[in-house]
Amino acid sequence: MEDPLGNFANIDVEAFLRDSERRVADFDEAQKGVAAAVGRATAADGLIAVECTAQDGVSRLDIDPRAKRMSVHEMSAAILAAIRDADADLQYQLSAIMTSVFGGLGPAMGDPETARATMAEAQQAYDRMMSDAMGELDRMRKKLGY
């Protein structure tokens, strides 16, 4: 006779729920960390300051009035250098967040869009797994007459 619980006969529901809660907390922690991360950099002896976030890219650009003494070419180069350095600082922070929460995501951390896509895929996979598990538990409940 087939076991009505199928492959789930030996599942430790409490451990499964604890693991699920931990994973949800990990995702929440990562999302909060990513949302709070701000990459910062300065250039031209502090006359140019840039901030970058995962949500907005370049979110702040401050140019000290003394930067007017620079040529347009020098100012452009300084702004681009500050943007690159602020983005690198942000990528470092995102990598640290992912490593501490998930043990790292490898090449995904080289690009914020790839990192976001990887997190979205992980969230979707988790949601599918939970939906499948809850559907199977519901099927077992009905089969057992509860």
Side-chain angles (χ1 to χ4, degrees):
M1 181 171 152
E2 180 184 323
D3 186 346
L5 298 178
N7 293 335
F8 289 91
N10 297 318
I11 191 170
D12 182 347
V13 175
E14 288 182 25
F16 177 77
L17 291 174
R18 280 191 308 273
D19 184 56
S20 297
E21 289 171 356
R22 182 190 55 79
R23 289 175 190 261
V24 168
D26 287 349
F27 277 114
D28 188 47
E29 180 182 342
Q31 288 174 333
K32 286 177 184 176
V34 168
V38 179
R40 294 181 176 87
T42 61
D45 296 324
L47 298 178
I48 309 289
V50 173
E51 291 184 354
C52 292
T53 65
Q55 297 82 8
D56 301 323
V58 175
S59 58
R60 184 173 180 164
L61 170 63
D62 292 326
I63 302 173
D64 187 289
R66 293 174 290 169
K68 290 180 189 177
R69 297 182 194 132
M70 300 169 70
S71 72
V72 172
H73 177 73
E74 290 170 328
M75 188 183 295
S76 294
I79 291 170
L80 290 174
I83 290 171
R84 279 191 299 273
D85 290 348
D87 184 60
D89 181 43
L90 176 63
Q91 296 307 314
Y92 176 80
Q93 291 177 45
L94 295 177
S95 179
I97 291 165
M98 295 303 161
T99 298
S100 71
V101 174
F102 300 113
L105 292 176
M109 295 320 311
D111 172 45
E113 289 303 315
T114 303
R116 278 192 285 272
T118 302
M119 284 211 37
E121 288 174 20
Q123 179 70 53
Q124 289 170 355
Y126 174 76
D127 291 344
R128 281 191 306 274
M129 184 222 29
M130 285 299 293
S131 178
D132 291 348
M134 295 310 288
E136 186 64 21
L137 289 171
D138 190 51
R139 183 192 68 74
M140 290 185 304
R141 179 188 59 81
K142 287 177 183 174
K143 194 168 188 174
L144 293 171
Y146 290 101

